[in-house]
Amino acid sequence: MCVRAAVTRCALALMTGAACHIAAAQGCDPASIFMQMVSYPAGSAAQTIALADFNGDTFLDIVVANGNNNAGVYVNNGDGTFGPAVTYAVGTTPVGVDAGDLNGDNFPDIVVSNTVSDDISVLINNGDGTFAPEVRYASGNGPWHVRVVNLNPGDRADVVVACKVADEIRVHINNGDGTLAPSVPYTAGNGTQPIDVGDLDGDGDADVVAANEFAANVSVFLNNGDGTMAPQAQYAVGSSPRAGVEIIDVNGAGGPDLVVGNTFGGNLSLLLNNGDGTFAPQTNIGSGFGPFGVAGADLTADGIADVLFAINGSASVGLLPGNGDGTFGVQANYATGVSPFNVQLGDLDGDADLDAVTVNNGVPSSISVLINTCSAPPSNCSPADLAEPFGSLDFSDVVAFLTAFGAMAPEADLAPPEGQWDFSDVVAFLAAFGAGCP
């Protein structure tokens, strides 16, 4: 089959929830990719982080929710190192933080969830990586984690909040100008904490999954297509899923799957997608003393999704290299600061591979930057050049785009508006793929 026909077939697969399969490339040794780690001081009781290019220089910056009632922004120096944090006042006892463009100016704004003052703080980007004073919105009882994502057909990002005390999620729809409508509650499970967003049922809009610490399960909310959510469906996981849930396709079939960190269970739960936004019973993967935050992406440059998770009890992260079929290879651990809570992935140094950042809740709190030293591949020749072998376009790039699109990953956000994954991104990918490499 010619490449152009294969692209068309895989684009149709994206629309219908089918899958494309190719053989994996030879990647880097999972035990030797995060060989550089640098820590930076954070505010007290820091728990979560988010990555975004706040100042428009193409390098990802870091924002941290600090327990001493502020958000700390670390600007990237352009090489994966960071300047001192600049702090901005938020509500009382912030726990969650995320970033996204709320007002349509193509600069990411910051949203922080404040668990004691029962509200969220919105900090609008001034267009240069500095932020206007917070604007607060009431958001239920005990707002914990927060995600910024477009949930409805509008062209602005909305906000989803997990409320631990109220056992619910709350959805704030954007008014279209960066302000938010009053929140709408949806019942979840006991002790709702971490949340993630992604297209779980293949209908092109973002769904929500929330992990419920005390119920030992997750709640899946499928989007009705207009930013309202269907009633939850619950699935059992391990003991105390209090800090990490990730939507990621680990087997290349059936759509994005779920990986959940079970803090007291000492492992992670993997729930494979049945292809329609429902999930098979959990299987256990990984191990560690207190798994917390979870992130997933291809970290070893073999075209297969891997899983990275914070191990709170041993000052480390665990890397599970994916085999491409929903199973994983031997776990490799890498040192971080004391008591890592949350982990995020992004290309911090501009070398086309994904680095890791953890926020560490020890005393004193810190963030740790782990630079991926997997041998840098040749430069990408096109926005469609998403997988090895870099410098050419083939089936592996199609599969990489499909996986990234389903997980709402930044590399699949190829067309305006930023922060939305829709048909315009598919068209942009097809156009870039069709144009080939220069």
Side-chain angles (χ1 to χ4, degrees), residues 26 55-56 89 102 121 223 269 288-289 317 328 352:
Q26 181 65 42
N55 59 0
L102 296 175
S121 297
N223 196 326
S269 293
F289 181 42
V317 290
F328 295 84

Side-chain angles (χ1 to χ4, degrees), residues 22-25 248-251 297-307 321-328 403:
I22 62 165
I248 180 173
D249 186 357
V250 300
N251 62 357
D298 177 15
L299 298 173
T300 55
D302 62 358
I304 297 173
D306 310 303
V307 171
N323 293 323
D325 59 359
T327 65
F328 295 84
T403 302

Side-chain angles (χ1 to χ4, degrees), residues 168-209:
E168 65 188 13
I169 66 167
R170 285 186 171 251
V171 173
H172 295 261
I173 295 297
N174 198 319
N175 292 319
D177 58 0
T179 65
L180 301 176
S183 64
V184 176
Y186 297 88
T187 300
N190 190 0
T192 307
Q193 289 198 48
I195 53 175
D196 201 11
V197 291
D199 184 7
L200 298 174
D201 55 359
D203 63 355
D205 51 38
D207 308 303
V208 180
V209 59

Side-chain angles (χ1 to χ4, degrees), residues 19 58-59 64 99 117 120 199 304 317 328 381:
T58 75
F59 288 94
V64 181
S117 53
I120 59 174
D199 184 7
I304 297 173
V317 290
F328 295 84
C381 70

Side-chain angles (χ1 to χ4, degrees), residues 29-401:
D29 180 2
S32 59
I33 66 167
F34 290 123
M35 306 307 290
Q36 301 176 20
M37 189 273 285
V38 178
S39 290
Y40 299 84
S44 66
Q47 292 199 35
T48 55
I49 50 177
L51 308 180
D53 177 13
F54 292 124
N55 59 0
D57 65 354
T58 75
F59 288 94
L60 292 176
D61 309 303
I62 301 171
V63 59
V64 181
N66 295 315
N68 53 331
N69 303 337
N70 64 61
V73 174
Y74 301 76
V75 173
N76 196 321
N77 294 321
D79 58 1
T81 66
F82 294 84
V86 177
T87 59
Y88 297 87
V90 295
T92 307
T93 316
V95 173
V97 65
D98 201 11
D101 183 9
L102 296 175
N103 60 354
D105 64 356
N106 293 319
F107 286 93
D109 309 301
I110 294 172
V111 181
V112 178
S113 51
N114 309 305
T115 191
V116 172
S117 53
D118 291 336
D119 52 24
I120 59 174
S121 297
V122 173
L123 294 89
I124 296 296
N125 197 322
N126 292 320
D128 58 2
T130 66
F131 294 85
E134 63 169 330
V135 176
R136 292 204 214 169
Y137 299 86
S139 196
N141 193 356
W144 210 259
H145 287 186
V146 62
R147 292 300 306 268
V148 178
V149 62
N150 186 28
L151 294 172
N152 65 1
D155 60 354
R156 297 288 184 267
D158 310 300
V159 176
V160 186
V161 183
C163 295
K164 178 181 178 180
V165 178
D167 302 333
E168 65 188 13
I169 66 167
R170 285 186 171 251
V171 173
H172 295 261
I173 295 297
N174 198 319
N175 292 319
D177 58 0
T179 65
L180 301 176
S183 64
V184 176
Y186 297 88
T187 300
N190 190 0
T192 307
Q193 289 198 48
I195 53 175
D196 201 11
V197 291
D199 184 7
L200 298 174
D201 55 359
D203 63 355
D205 51 38
D207 308 303
V208 180
V209 59
N212 305 305
E213 178 183 6
F214 306 125
N217 61 26
V218 295
S219 298
V220 172
F221 299 87
L222 297 181
N223 196 326
N224 293 319
D226 58 0
T228 65
M229 298 290 155
Q232 65 173 323
Q234 292 188 341
Y235 300 88
V237 295
S239 177
S240 188
R242 62 181 297 188
V245 58
E246 178 81 353
I247 296 173
I248 180 173
D249 186 357
V250 300
N251 62 357
D257 311 300
L258 305 179
V259 181
V260 183
N262 304 312
T263 301
F264 294 158
N267 57 23
L268 301 107
S269 293
L270 170 64
L271 295 88
L272 295 178
N273 198 322
N274 293 321
D276 58 359
T278 66
F279 294 86
Q282 64 168 325
T283 58
N284 292 330
I285 59 174
S287 63
F289 181 42
F292 269 58
V294 182
D298 177 15
L299 298 173
T300 55
D302 62 358
I304 297 173
D306 310 303
V307 171
L308 190 72
F309 63 101
I311 306 175
N312 184 258
S314 63
S316 63
V317 290
L319 171 60
L320 291 170
N323 293 323
D325 59 359
T327 65
F328 295 84
V330 176
Q331 178 176 320
N333 290 352
Y334 294 92
T336 66
V338 177
S339 299
F341 260 53
N342 186 234
V343 59
Q344 297 291 331
L345 300 172
D347 182 9
L348 300 176
D349 54 0
D351 65 353
D353 56 31
L354 294 177
D355 311 300
V357 185
T358 65
V359 59
N360 312 307
N361 193 244
V363 179
S365 293
S366 64
I367 62 171
S368 294
V369 173
L370 291 83
I371 296 297
N372 191 331
T373 55
C374 182
S375 296
S379 298
N380 302 64
C381 70
S382 158
D385 191 9
L386 299 176
E388 288 192 338
F390 293 103
S392 63
L393 301 179
D394 57 23
F395 295 162
S396 61
D397 300 301
V398 177
V399 173
F401 175 76

